[in-house]
Structures are given as structure tokens and as C-alpha cells.
Amino acid sequence: MQLPSMDPIWFIKAPFERVVTETTEWLNRPGGRSFTRLREPLPSMLQRLEPWAMPSWKQLVVSTTADEWTAIFSQGSDIGTANVVGTRLDCLNIRTSHQPHITHDGKIVSFGSTALWIHSGARHVRSIQASYQSRWLWTLFGDPQPFENLDKYTAKKIPDRFTFESLNEYCRALGIERDNSGFYGSNGLLVEEDTSSWTSKPGAHVDRSLPMMRPVREPVPDASRRG
């Protein structure tokens, strides 16, 4: 079964319990967070991230059927948990994202972007990204990986160089079935920040008929090639 639209999804190449331990230790230092163990199907766990909001106060760590990989989902913000925990564990940590480019009545309602960022510990290994800002941008950083289809990068249209299908293909080469809900396990850790001191907690109403609209990030601005 295909995974419901979630973006981004992060992955850490470490067993679930190790990631939970490091995540809890790191996020517990500043205080003001609760950690709830979950054991339920993925759709139920993802519902606990509602409502979609930025800034966010919730994130979710989820086991996978490939014991060496652990997934992380966000309520909305582009969080740094995977990179920090991956650095602490000195292992691969990956950020994956896809947003279709959608216009409605001449206005952009979803800024297109497909991206794969790979770090090994703290070392930036590879970034591949096709994203729309004021125009389409093509970003490559680091050495090509063995699984990449370099011929596609010569396509005239930037969005055709790195598609949603390409992202999932590359993830499968790494042992990650990103778009398959059956790949995700039933063990989770819900992290919630105490928002009682916030001056205002953002309300959120999400039209599920449209993809979630999120700001597009560029991994290495000076490596961008504009087209």
C-alpha cells in the first residue's frame, strides 16, 4: 500500500531503539518535552501529528521492517533531528522530500521540489534537488552515488531531471521503501514540546485535497546551477 503524502521524511541508518535513546537524550536536555511510546499502525501514529503547523511542536520516530533504518516524520517544520542524531551515532542520515508544483487560478499553491540529501555522520555526502523558487533551480553537491541515473540530469526541463519516481528508486537502492506503507513498523516515539509558554500556538487547517505547502530549502546555495 502506498504511503499517504508526507513531506519531508528523514531516515537514520540505525536500529529504532538506538535512535530513540539518542533522540530522547538530545531533546530532553533543554527540557519542556514529553516522550510517548507508541505501538500502533502507521496511519494511527501519523494522525497524532495533526494538525499540520509551522512552527511545529510534534515529531515522530518510527521503526521500519528493515531493522537498520529508522524513519522520522514532522508535524510541519523542517527539523534537524535526523542530522543531529545521525551525527551522534556517526551513521548515514538522509532527508527526502517531494512536493508537486501546483498552480490554481494563476497562483502557486504548492512550490515544486524533489530532493535527496545524504549525510554520513556530520559529513555532507550528496545533495540532489530540483526546486521551484522564483524559477526552477537545479542543485547537485558531492560525488555521484552508484545508484544514480546521471543521464537523466541532462534533461532540458529541470523537473524531469529528478522526479518523484527517481527519489523512490534511489531510496530503494539504499534499502528504503519510502513510498510503501508496509515498510514502516508499528513502534513509534511521539515527541511533543510544551507550548504553554508560547505567546501563540498556531492553529492550522489543512485542505487535504491539496499537497501540504512547505517552504523549499536549498542544501548548498553556492552549488546551485540555475536553469
Side-chain angles (χ1 to χ4, degrees), residues 83 87 93 118-126 143:
N83 190 235
T87 298
N93 54 97
I118 303 173
H119 286 77
S120 178
R123 184 172 65 89
H124 192 171
V125 175
R126 184 64 161 163
D143 295 328

Side-chain angles (χ1 to χ4, degrees), residues 4-5 27 43 78 80 90 102 107 111 146 149 165 181 193 202 212:
S5 177
L27 290 176
D78 209 338
D90 194 24
I102 298 176
K107 297 181 179 179
F111 288 85
N149 183 350
E165 291 73 21
S181 62
E193 185 174 350
M212 294 179 181

Side-chain angles (χ1 to χ4, degrees), residues 48-97:
R48 294 177 182 269
L49 289 176
E50 296 291 346
W52 183 90
M54 292 182 67
S56 300
W57 59 95
K58 293 190 277 189
Q59 57 184 288
L60 179 67
V61 182
V62 177
S63 63
T64 74
T65 56
D67 293 337
E68 64 179 1
W69 287 105
T70 299
I72 298 181
F73 298 86
S74 166
Q75 184 185 19
S77 295
D78 209 338
I79 57 178
T81 303
N83 190 235
V84 172
V85 172
T87 298
R88 289 168 65 103
L89 293 175
D90 194 24
C91 64
L92 280 180
N93 54 97
I94 297 172
R95 178 189 182 275
T96 72
S97 66

Side-chain angles (χ1 to χ4, degrees), residues 141-181:
F141 175 84
D143 295 328
Q145 300 300 295
F147 50 78
E148 291 183 42
N149 183 350
L150 301 180
D151 290 340
K152 289 196 68 173
Y153 301 166
T154 62
K156 183 176 180 180
K157 294 182 178 179
I158 290 177
D160 294 339
R161 298 177 190 175
F162 192 51
T163 63
F164 184 47
E165 291 73 21
S166 300
L167 172 63
N168 289 328
E169 178 186 334
Y170 289 8
C171 284
R172 284 191 292 271
L174 289 164
I176 298 168
E177 297 179 48
R178 182 188 190 274
D179 60 337
N180 178 10
S181 62

Side-chain angles (χ1 to χ4, degrees), residues 23-39:
T23 300
T24 303
E25 181 179 318
W26 173 56
L27 290 176
N28 205 28
R29 285 181 177 177
R33 290 179 174 86
S34 64
F35 302 86
T36 305
R37 288 275 192 157
L38 305 174
R39 186 166 179 79

